[in-house]
Each structure stands twice: as C-alpha cells, then as structure tokens.
Amino acid sequence: MEMEMEMRAEEDIEIGEDITPPLTPLAFALHDSLLSSHCSSCFSLLPPHPFPPLHFNPTFPHNPHHVLSSSSSFYCSPLCSTSDSPLHVSSAEPHLLHLLQSHPSTYPHGDSSDLRAALRLLHSLPATRPSARIAGLLTNHHKLLHHHDHHRIRDGARAMFLASKMRDEAPNVCSDNSSSVSPDDAVLEEAALCLVLTNAVEVQDKTGRTLGISVYGPSFCWINHSCSPNACYRFLVSPPPPTCSAEKTPLRIAPFGQGTQIESGVCSNNVFIKECGSYGPRVIVRSIKRIKKGEEVTVTYADLLQPKAMRQSELWSRYRFICSCTRCSASPLTYVDQVLEEISAANFNSSSLSSDINFDRDKATQRLTDYIDDAIDDYLSIGDPESSSVRLEHVLTQGLSDKQSECKEETSQLTYWLHPLHHLSLNAYTTLASAYKIRATDLSALYSKMDDHLLNALDLSRTSTAYSLLLAGATHHLFRSESSLIVSVANFWSSAGESLLTLARNSVWSQFVQRDLPVSNPSSTGKYRCPNCSLADKFETDSFHGQVRYADFDYVSNEFVDCVTNFTQNVWNFLGLGCQYLRVVKNPIDFSWLGTIRYSSVGEDIVRSSGTEVASKCGAGRRISGSEAEGYNNQVRMCLFKLGVHCLLYGGYLASICYGNSHLTRNVDKILDLEESIESLS
C-alpha cells in the first residue's frame, strides 16, 4: 500500500461502477491452514479429488532431490496446476514449508503466507539488490526494521534464504541453527518480505472468510487509504476465464505523483494491466461514491467502524503512516467518530446520576475493552455462548464499575456506560446475535418433540434476530453521516433480513398460530411488492435489464428507511420481549430518541426504570409466558416476513453497489427459498 503515489480518475465515475478490470497479482499465498482445502492458484475450494502440482524444477531438471516428495499444494483443475506449479516449485515454496515443519524454531511466528508470497515475488521479479521500490512498490524496508516486530522480519528473511539454498543445493543444507545466516546474506529477502508486509491485502471469499494474501501491481497498490474512501474492492476467487475479458473493462485511473514515470518505470497505463491468462485471485476496484475526473481514488486499509484513535494506531503499526484524510482531520471530530468512542460515567453513591462527571476516558475505555473482549472470547475461543451472552448484556445493561473491573480495589464507585453506537456496543451486538443463534440451533438439535425446550429455542432465535436488526439499524444510522460505511451496512442488512425470514418460518410458530399465513406464488417478485415503496418494482425492472441503476440512490434509501421504520414499530416490542437492554432501545432504526451526544445514558435510564434489578438472562432459558405468547400471531409473523424481505432487498441493493449485481440476485434467491419454506408451513 502506498502513501507517496496516488491514482486519479481519468473520467467522471458514477456510484457503483467498476474502476479497474480484474487485476492479477504479482504474488500470492494461501494461509497455511487452507493449503489442503483450497486451490493454491485461484484460492477456490478444492474438488473431492484435487490435482497435485507438477513435480519438476525447470532450473535443475536433472537433480531429483530438488523436488520434495510430499505435495504442499493442491489445485482445483489441470489449468491451475499447470499455471502455478512451475512457480510453486522454483520459488522454493515447498522447501520453505518443509523447513518450517522440520525445524519450527527457524520461524516461530505462526503463519508463513507472507514468507511464501515474498519468495514468489523474488523469483518473478528481476530485482538483484534491495531498493526503496521493487516493481514500483514501496518496501518500507528501513521503517519496518526499526519496528517492534523486526525479529519477525529477520527470522523470516533467514528462513527464506535457507529455503532457497535447499532448492539450489540440497535439502539437507538446513540445520537447527538458522543464526548462521547473517543479515547481509538475506538482505534481498528482507526487502521482499517488507514489500509484502507493506502492500499485501487479505483475500476474502464471498462469505468474508480470509483465505490468504495477495500483492498486486501499482494499478492497485498505488491507490491510497482514506477513512472516508470513495471506492472499495472485491476478489474473484475462481479459475481464470479461458478468454481475455480485460478489454471490456478499461482501466479508468492513472498514476499521479512526483517522478511517477522515472521512479517506477511506468511509461504508459498498459503496464498496469497484466497479460490475460495469468493466475491467482483477481481484484476489481469499484466506486462507492461519485468520483469526478481528476479526483483521487481511495480505498480503506482499516476498519471504518473503529474510532479515530484505533484506526490511527492500526495504520501506524502496520503501514507506518499517520492518516490525514478529511475524516481524521475534522475538528471537532465527526459525528460518527464521536459516538464510536462515547462513554458516560455515573456514581451510584450519588442521589443523582449525572453523565457530566469528569473521569479518565482512556482508563474507562481500556477497562470496557478488556471486559468485552474477554466476554466475546468466552464464545469464540472457549465455546460458551451462554456465558458470553450473559456477560455482554450485563455490561450493556449495568455498565462497568471500578469495583467490577478490579475486584481487589474499592477505591471508586464510578460506573462506565457505553453509548449504544459505541464501537464496543456494535461488537457486542454482533456477538450476541451470533451467540443467541447458536444457542437456539443447539437447543433445537437436542429435542425433536414440541415442548418447552423448542419454545425456548424460538425465544432465543427471537432475541438473536432483535440484536441483528439493532446492529443493522445502528450502523445504518452512522452510514447516513458517513456513506463510506456502505460495505459493512450492506452485510448487516442482509444478515438481519435472513434472520427475520428464518424466524418467520420457524415451525414452532404452529403452536401459536393457525396455518393460514398468506403467501402468494413465489415464482415472481409480486409476492413481496410493497404498496409503500418501490424497492421490488425497481429491482425487478433493473434485473430484467441486467443492470441496477443508482442515480436515485438517495430516494431509494429514504423509501426503504420509511418502510422499515413502520414495520419495525409493529414488531420491536415483540422482538425485545424479556430483554432489559432491548426494551430500553426505543427504536432500532430511528435513533432520534438518543437526542444529542451528551445524552442521559441508556444505563441511567435502566437504573431509573428498574432500580437495581437487572435482566441477567435476557430471553434465555425460560418458558414463554401467556402474555408473551399473544405476540406470536399471524399478523406479527407476516410483519416479520415483510420486514425481512425489505432488509434482504436493501442489503442486496447496497451490496450490488460494492460488488456488482450478483449480490442482489443472491439475496432475491434467498427470499424465494425462505418464502417456499413458509408456504410449506402455511
């Protein structure tokens, strides 16, 4: 990733348009854990009978010991095997994997994908000495070697050097003592590894799972970072097409900067488009805002739902630069950055609960972060979703006191409260939605008869859906002030839609409602056409013409919010049944109830309304009461269904801006599948 060069638009670009053709990488590598399950060339999932690499070394064809007997890579097709095998073997990648397996102390820093990508880069490029740039890309060699993680670079470079010697001489050249390799021996390897650490991006599949890393040429890596970017990128993780398609999508950006052509060797834009037939995961850059001719094109290198301080820390730690984009330079902080870090404090010993108390915000933030990270770890690492749920809802509802965070100290009675839009609150909602879903699934799997356990499972699913909808609404509220959050918001709306539709089709509803849910024929989009908005009509028309139009983006978004707000008002009390925190959230879509940022905190509202009573088991492990069961009726179920359809449609609409029309089509298919399930229950 670069911060000295930049790429600018060569023409006006509308929202939701591809800016580059599919770009093939200079170097790439799967993560170690996926080498046996994914194609080492295109990163797609392997078939039941994968293809091994071709075992030959074009440099030393007569020396069989230069090729390891055990395969370290597999391929999805003969094309991928033929394309990638020569580089795989010649770059010393299998030798490196053998070295690290037989002598783990050589590189005790975990995953080796950075090292393997650097070996591939070295073998592909004509570099014979380290420099500030290799193939036009900044190495950051000097900066990274003075970083706190410089041991990782030194050890990695030594391991790369030894692997190359194993390839060139004999497999047994390695010993346990890699310190015999001096820094001067591996200086070129150090530079290549620094280049990878500076420029590599994590390759993700359509589900968001990280598969490995890839380094692209200047046409991608010269696109700078912004915390309010106007573009995003997506990966094509599939075998390369048999014919060239680059001509159909021109490169619409050009480099700009001092010494562009001299320093990088760029003579024309043609060098930015690699020859067709190349392999590896391809990347496409796409606009998420309107971009004027001559305007710089930017993407993000950080999580945009983090507050400013966290983004700055991450960018400095990894890339060694301080961001000065418009969002980071704003004074005072933008609304989004204010609420992402907003914390209030209350003193329980005081007769009044004021949020205007002076307190150490850094200390409070760290304690809240430690507590929530630990609670989330209960679920992700220990596998205890119930403990995680209870702890997260406890801190959201009661806040975190000094006494609670440091059991041995009772020096303060201050209690810290998170803003409902704080980034830690958003992390909690994400975990709670998933944890409750897992608990419901596990409970349903244990019992087949209709009894209290399945009713509790439905209860847990309802709470999961509530948190999923709250997460979507909260991030959409932020999105209306910072449109670059569109990628995250698209995913959250889609997830909320799936959760709502899954809840609406749950078979346990038959205990409460008659089998007369009105669902029309699912063969056309007419079934989910809404009389109050044009979402379905628009998407049906656009899909017919093969292209979604975004000129009326603001109008479509406003229509959606109005419609979803109306639906939510009819079901939110039902979704929040039994959960104290969800009951305090007046509306998960319209956050006008928050007032200004210096509001009377949610925690204070809970204390005022319920004293010291806390719902420590929100929606968990209890039978649905008679009054709550009244909420399980056909009217609520149909409203959940319609709300879910709207969320999925809008999530697909936003995703199509970021990734293309296929994501909208995928969400429509989900609606059809889930709708058929509901029809079968009716």
Side-chain angles (χ1 to χ4, degrees), residues 251-273:
L251 188 69
R252 304 169 70 183
I253 51 179
F256 180 85
Q258 290 188 347
T260 299
Q261 298 190 7
I262 297 175
E263 190 172 347
S264 65
V266 176
C267 298
S268 71
N269 285 352
N270 292 334
V271 302
F272 290 97
I273 305 179

Side-chain angles (χ1 to χ4, degrees), residues 250-421:
L251 188 69
R252 304 169 70 183
I253 51 179
F256 180 85
Q258 290 188 347
T260 299
Q261 298 190 7
I262 297 175
E263 190 172 347
S264 65
V266 176
C267 298
S268 71
N269 285 352
N270 292 334
V271 302
F272 290 97
I273 305 179
K274 292 177 68 66
E275 290 185 9
C276 296
S278 296
Y279 45 94
R282 291 152 290 159
V283 67
I284 297 175
V285 181
R286 188 172 174 89
S287 62
I288 56 174
K289 299 177 182 177
R290 292 180 177 87
I291 305 173
K292 295 181 180 179
K293 180 179 180 179
E295 182 180 349
E296 182 180 7
V297 174
T298 56
V299 296
T300 183
Y301 304 174
D303 181 356
L304 299 180
L305 284 172
Q306 291 180 334
K308 176 182 174 180
M310 291 185 67
R311 298 195 308 271
Q312 294 281 13
S313 176
E314 178 184 342
L315 292 169
W316 177 255
S317 176
R318 182 168 182 181
Y319 303 111
R320 314 307 286 175
F321 73 84
I322 297 175
C323 182
S324 57
C325 69
T326 54
R327 181 176 169 187
C328 288
S329 302
S331 181
L333 290 175
T334 64
Y335 168 72
V336 171
D337 280 331
Q338 286 183 59
V339 294
L340 284 175
E341 65 179 21
E342 181 66 17
I343 296 173
S344 296
N347 191 331
F348 282 106
N349 288 338
S350 174
S351 58
S352 63
L353 295 171
S354 172
S355 57
D356 295 325
I357 298 174
N358 292 324
F359 62 98
D360 187 336
R361 292 184 177 273
D362 291 339
K363 172 185 173 183
T365 299
Q366 189 59 54
R367 289 186 172 179
L368 285 162
T369 299
D370 292 344
Y371 181 91
I372 288 183
D373 286 350
D374 190 56
I376 292 175
D377 196 55
D378 281 355
Y379 172 44
L380 298 181
S381 299
I382 301 176
D384 189 346
E386 183 171 4
S387 170
S388 180
S389 301
V390 170
R391 294 182 66 189
L392 288 174
E393 287 178 325
H394 183 81
V395 73
L396 289 174
T397 308
Q398 280 193 307
L400 186 69
S401 68
D402 286 344
K403 180 179 179 180
Q404 180 177 330
S405 57
E406 293 183 358
C407 298
K408 296 181 180 180
E409 296 184 11
E410 299 184 6
T411 59
S412 173
Q413 295 298 314
L414 280 182
T415 298
Y416 307 124
W417 304 94
L418 291 170
H419 190 290
L421 300 176

Side-chain angles (χ1 to χ4, degrees), residues 324-536:
S324 57
C325 69
T326 54
R327 181 176 169 187
C328 288
S329 302
S331 181
L333 290 175
T334 64
Y335 168 72
V336 171
D337 280 331
Q338 286 183 59
V339 294
L340 284 175
E341 65 179 21
E342 181 66 17
I343 296 173
S344 296
N347 191 331
F348 282 106
N349 288 338
S350 174
S351 58
S352 63
L353 295 171
S354 172
S355 57
D356 295 325
I357 298 174
N358 292 324
F359 62 98
D360 187 336
R361 292 184 177 273
D362 291 339
K363 172 185 173 183
T365 299
Q366 189 59 54
R367 289 186 172 179
L368 285 162
T369 299
D370 292 344
Y371 181 91
I372 288 183
D373 286 350
D374 190 56
I376 292 175
D377 196 55
D378 281 355
Y379 172 44
L380 298 181
S381 299
I382 301 176
D384 189 346
E386 183 171 4
S387 170
S388 180
S389 301
V390 170
R391 294 182 66 189
L392 288 174
E393 287 178 325
H394 183 81
V395 73
L396 289 174
T397 308
Q398 280 193 307
L400 186 69
S401 68
D402 286 344
K403 180 179 179 180
Q404 180 177 330
S405 57
E406 293 183 358
C407 298
K408 296 181 180 180
E409 296 184 11
E410 299 184 6
T411 59
S412 173
Q413 295 298 314
L414 280 182
T415 298
Y416 307 124
W417 304 94
L418 291 170
H419 190 290
L421 300 176
H422 193 284
H423 76 98
L424 292 175
S425 298
L426 302 182
N427 291 345
Y429 305 155
T430 304
T431 304
L432 286 164
S434 178
Y436 270 112
K437 180 180 179 181
I438 289 295
R439 292 170 63 187
T441 301
D442 291 347
L443 195 58
S444 298
L446 290 175
Y447 302 95
S448 57
K449 295 182 179 180
M450 192 65 66
D451 58 12
D452 287 354
H453 297 291
L454 291 186
L455 297 181
N456 286 334
L458 181 61
D459 203 11
L460 293 168
S461 294
R462 177 173 51 77
T463 305
S464 169
T465 300
Y467 278 113
S468 184
L469 182 60
L470 174 57
L471 177 64
T475 52
H476 189 271
H477 175 77
L478 300 177
F479 166 65
R480 301 184 82 171
S481 297
E482 178 50 72
S483 62
S484 59
L485 298 176
I486 186 172
V487 176
S488 297
V489 175
N491 293 331
F492 292 145
W493 277 125
S494 295
S495 296
E498 288 187 59
S499 186
L500 284 159
L501 290 176
T502 300
L503 177 63
R505 68 157 185 163
N506 194 304
S507 59
V508 184
W509 280 85
S510 61
Q511 294 295 297
F512 306 102
V513 302
Q514 299 296 320
R515 295 163 60 90
D516 59 355
L517 182 65
V519 180
S520 58
N521 187 345
S523 61
S524 72
T525 56
K527 62 200 170 300
Y528 51 78
R529 185 169 282 113
C530 175
N532 299 319
C533 71
S534 59
L535 279 178

Side-chain angles (χ1 to χ4, degrees), residues 76-244:
C76 66
S77 66
L79 174 61
C80 280
S81 179
T82 302
S83 299
D84 187 69
S85 292
L87 179 59
H88 168 67
V89 176
S90 300
S91 67
E93 185 178 359
H95 302 83
L96 176 68
L97 289 169
H98 177 74
L99 169 66
L100 299 183
Q101 183 177 10
S102 58
H103 299 89
S105 60
T106 304
Y107 184 73
H109 304 284
D111 189 87
S112 68
S113 56
D114 291 336
L115 279 61
R116 289 184 284 114
L119 279 175
R120 285 171 166 258
L121 190 69
L122 276 180
H123 191 78
S124 303
L125 298 175
T128 57
R129 60 184 179 82
S131 60
R133 290 183 183 273
I134 299 177
L137 305 184
L138 199 65
T139 65
N140 265 343
H141 190 185
H142 179 73
K143 288 183 178 180
L144 291 180
L145 282 179
H146 287 81
H147 188 241
H148 68 276
D149 202 20
H150 68 278
H151 293 295
R152 176 188 174 194
I153 298 173
R154 297 286 193 192
D155 292 343
R158 292 191 188 101
M160 291 165 58
F161 179 81
L162 288 172
S164 298
K165 290 195 68 176
M166 291 172 63
R167 175 199 62 198
D168 298 340
E169 299 177 10
N172 58 2
V173 299
C174 174
S175 67
D176 287 333
N177 186 16
S178 61
S179 60
S180 61
V181 180
S182 71
D184 291 338
D185 292 333
V187 65
L188 190 56
E189 285 80 2
E190 280 184 1
L193 183 54
C194 288
L195 184 150
V196 170
L197 294 174
T198 299
N199 295 276
V201 291
E202 292 185 333
V203 178
Q204 297 180 336
D205 62 15
K206 292 180 180 180
T207 67
R209 181 187 184 187
T210 299
L211 304 176
I213 62 168
S214 194
V215 178
Y216 298 91
S219 54
F220 179 78
C221 284
W222 283 5
I223 300 177
N224 284 328
H225 162 84
S226 171
C227 296
S228 182
N230 52 24
C232 66
Y233 52 89
R234 70 184 187 275
F235 296 99
L236 299 180
V237 180
S238 61
T243 58
C244 175

